[in-house]
Amino acid sequence: MYPSPTVSSRPLWISPSQNKWCDILMAKGAGLVNRHYHPHEVFAYTISGKWGYLEHDWTATAGDFVYETPGEGHTLVAYEHKDPMKVFFQVKGPLIWLKEDGEPDGYFDVHNYIALCRDHYEKVGLGRDYIDKLFRWSRLNIHAAVDHQRRAGGEAALVGRQIEHRAGNLIGRAMTAERDHPVEEGRTIHA
């Protein structure tokens, strides 16, 4: 299961059509995400705490940027630290879970993430559709939504305003994160 019983996540942006997402992975104490690999590159920016991969000798702390090489198996570990671990991740494609012998043991992709979020948001009273607010709208998606509204007799301008509002919210969240967590020091780590 993603993330794991000891690590949680907060989705920020989801693109079902591209099988991509951005989220903040969090742990209040020591924790881990079981061994897996990504067939595509992954980017991570450490907001707070301390984390790393069991298979490597580096640890990342606030301000560190990590580039994950596609195809390399790793086990994410959140270490005990005075601050909780919070890491911004940009993920494309699935996580392929690995058995002890390195053989594949299932996967987790954007569609699994959406289903997990729908269940969680329903359970906490926000409603299953709350996750839809985080979906990425490409120009193709926007035109399809507007055309659908026109054919259905709806107000296309309303759809356009909703999409612009969603895009503005994403930009606002990124600017707030930058303001609240300015980069003082940091390094780039190639995993």
Side-chain angles (χ1 to χ4, degrees), residues 114-115 117-123 125-135 166:
I114 291 167
C117 290
R118 286 194 193 286
D119 291 345
H120 172 73
Y121 292 142
E122 181 71 21
K123 182 179 174 182
L126 294 172
R128 296 181 64 75
D129 294 338
Y130 184 79
I131 191 67
D132 296 346
K133 296 177 181 182
L134 304 179
F135 287 174
R166 289 177 184 163

Side-chain angles (χ1 to χ4, degrees), residues 55-77:
E55 297 79 8
H56 292 275
D57 59 359
W58 56 264
T59 56
T61 56
D64 288 342
F65 174 84
V66 176
Y67 168 79
E68 292 184 17
T69 305
E72 183 179 294
H74 54 270
T75 309
L76 188 147
V77 179

Side-chain angles (χ1 to χ4, degrees), residues 2 30 33-35 40 45 69 71 79 97 99 123 125 133 145 157 171 186:
Y2 179 84
V33 175
N34 289 340
R35 190 162 182 248
H40 304 281
Y45 176 77
T69 305
Y79 295 104
W97 299 117
K99 297 179 190 176
K123 182 179 174 182
K133 296 177 181 182
I171 293 166

Side-chain angles (χ1 to χ4, degrees), residues 36-92:
H36 63 279
Y37 78 90
H38 305 270
H40 304 281
E41 61 193 11
V42 172
F43 302 98
Y45 176 77
T46 309
I47 299 167
S48 64
K50 181 178 175 181
W51 68 284
Y53 296 139
L54 288 179
E55 297 79 8
H56 292 275
D57 59 359
W58 56 264
T59 56
T61 56
D64 288 342
F65 174 84
V66 176
Y67 168 79
E68 292 184 17
T69 305
E72 183 179 294
H74 54 270
T75 309
L76 188 147
V77 179
Y79 295 104
E80 288 290 340
H81 191 269
K82 64 182 178 76
D83 298 317
M85 181 199 79
K86 291 183 182 177
V87 181
F88 172 86
F89 276 94
Q90 178 185 327
V91 180
K92 178 181 181 183

Side-chain angles (χ1 to χ4, degrees), residues 110-181:
V110 72
H111 304 289
N112 301 113
Y113 201 4
I114 291 167
L116 186 71
C117 290
R118 286 194 193 286
D119 291 345
H120 172 73
Y121 292 142
E122 181 71 21
K123 182 179 174 182
V124 299
L126 294 172
R128 296 181 64 75
D129 294 338
Y130 184 79
I131 191 67
D132 296 346
K133 296 177 181 182
L134 304 179
F135 287 174
R136 178 189 178 276
W137 290 87
S138 68
R139 286 186 183 190
L140 183 60
N141 295 119
I142 292 169
H143 292 301
V146 169
D147 287 345
H148 174 73
Q149 287 294 318
R150 283 188 184 134
R151 284 193 303 271
E155 178 60 45
L158 175 61
V159 173
R161 284 195 304 274
Q162 289 172 340
I163 292 166
E164 287 173 10
H165 179 72
R166 289 177 184 163
N169 283 344
L170 182 60
I171 293 166
R173 281 186 287 214
M175 291 173 68
T176 300
E178 175 73 21
R179 182 197 69 224
D180 294 346
H181 302 283

